[in-house]
Amino acid sequence: MFQRIAIAVGLALLLSACASQIDAGVSAEPAAPGFWWGLLHGFIFPWAWIGSLFSDDIAVYAVPNSGGWYDFGFFLGITVLGGGSFFGSKSRG
């Protein structure tokens, strides 16, 4: 059991080591979307994704943004406000 977990964690770390963000995607300007915009964008993600299938003018993720704080807000918006972790944890029965 421990060996499987160790292998899974090792593969996840190996894969995440390849991840990077281009500098053009991060902006230091005060007007760049930050944490609160990320939170909103994460919350409306399901609707924005559906809209993006039908229109090129709709995006699910703001680029450029403020970087890590926008990403953190986006993550919270999807998981907490969007019900990602809440609805997945309910028992059916």
Side-chain angles (χ1 to χ4, degrees):
M1 176 74 171
F2 177 74
Q3 184 179 14
R4 287 184 182 177
I5 292 172
I7 290 173
V9 169
L11 287 174
L13 288 174
L14 183 65
L15 182 62
S16 68
C18 300
S20 67
Q21 186 173 15
I22 59 172
D23 292 335
V26 178
S27 175
E29 293 184 23
F35 174 78
W36 295 110
W37 280 110
L39 192 66
L40 175 67
H41 292 163
F43 179 67
I44 64 170
F45 169 77
W47 299 279
W49 178 71
I50 291 169
S52 72
L53 296 175
F54 300 103
S55 174
D56 290 337
D57 296 332
I58 300 173
V60 296
Y61 189 82
V63 176
N65 57 53
S66 63
W69 282 112
Y70 177 85
D71 294 340
F72 183 61
F74 191 80
F75 171 75
L76 285 180
I78 287 177
T79 58
V80 177
L81 296 178
S85 61
F86 175 72
F87 293 116
S89 65
K90 282 189 170 181
S91 62
R92 309 274 187 226

